[in-house]
Amino acid sequence: MADSRDENVTWLTQEAYDRLKAEYEYLSGPGRVDIAKKIEAAREEGDLKENGGYHAAKDEQGKMEARIFHLRQIIDNAKVGEAPKTEGVVGPGMTVTIRFVRDDDEVTFLLASREESGAPIDVYSPKSPLGAAINGKKIGEKATYSMPNGRQNTVEILEAVPYIGN
């Protein structure tokens, strides 16, 4: 059984799982048929080098296939329900407050899959650099992570409580 902090597990509510599964089923079925028809119709217009409709449809197909692949990964690694939560320990489904050591700014957010939309507070993924660095940390502990610009940033965990929704 995977631990709640396993980096490959994506914890999803039943609603989010159902929404993603429906999107996957549409894109991998009727969506693929529709894009194939668009490509064929554009191909019949003639010279493919200067055919903007053809290139747009092929680009759309590439984006759709990437989304299908991404959705398949999420669905295959999803656990539906609530991640096990221990108050005071950072993990998926926890409302976390951190303090940036460099400037003393505090931020509160929900640590959860980005596919969990609709939360009234910011959602940070456990797979993001910050999320991965703080996952499993306890109140009072510090974590350092690399920002996109390559700099290191250190945060201190101030609070980790189960998310209770709206």
Side-chain angles (χ1 to χ4, degrees), residues 45-90:
E45 291 173 11
D47 185 9
L48 296 182
K49 284 185 200 172
E50 297 179 17
N51 187 328
Y54 173 80
H55 294 291
K58 289 295 283 182
D59 188 47
E60 184 182 342
Q61 180 186 41
K63 289 177 183 173
M64 187 176 76
E65 289 300 326
R67 179 67 178 160
I68 289 169
F69 179 78
H70 181 70
L71 289 170
R72 180 82 256 160
Q73 285 185 309
I74 291 170
I75 291 166
D76 285 350
N77 294 308
K79 297 267 190 227
V80 177
E82 294 292 318
K85 300 172 188 152
T86 303
E87 188 151 341
V89 179
V90 177

Side-chain angles (χ1 to χ4, degrees), residues 129 133 137 142-146 152-155:
K137 297 284 186 195
K142 291 182 179 169
T144 301
Y145 67 98
S146 294
Q152 298 289 303
N153 205 358
T154 301
V155 298

Side-chain angles (χ1 to χ4, degrees), residues 25-36 64:
E25 288 170 358
Y26 170 77
L27 290 177
S28 62
R32 279 185 170 146
V33 172
D34 290 346
I35 195 67
M64 187 176 76

Side-chain angles (χ1 to χ4, degrees), residues 59-133:
D59 188 47
E60 184 182 342
Q61 180 186 41
K63 289 177 183 173
M64 187 176 76
E65 289 300 326
R67 179 67 178 160
I68 289 169
F69 179 78
H70 181 70
L71 289 170
R72 180 82 256 160
Q73 285 185 309
I74 291 170
I75 291 166
D76 285 350
N77 294 308
K79 297 267 190 227
V80 177
E82 294 292 318
K85 300 172 188 152
T86 303
E87 188 151 341
V89 179
V90 177
M94 300 294 281
T95 300
V96 182
T97 302
I98 59 171
R99 180 180 61 83
F100 291 92
V101 172
R102 182 178 305 149
D103 56 17
D104 272 349
D105 281 351
E106 290 184 16
V107 177
T108 299
F109 55 89
L110 170 62
L111 190 66
S113 167
R114 289 192 179 137
E115 300 297 338
E116 290 288 352
S117 60
I121 63 173
D122 288 337
V123 177
Y124 285 48
S125 170
K127 296 177 184 178
S128 69
L130 173 59

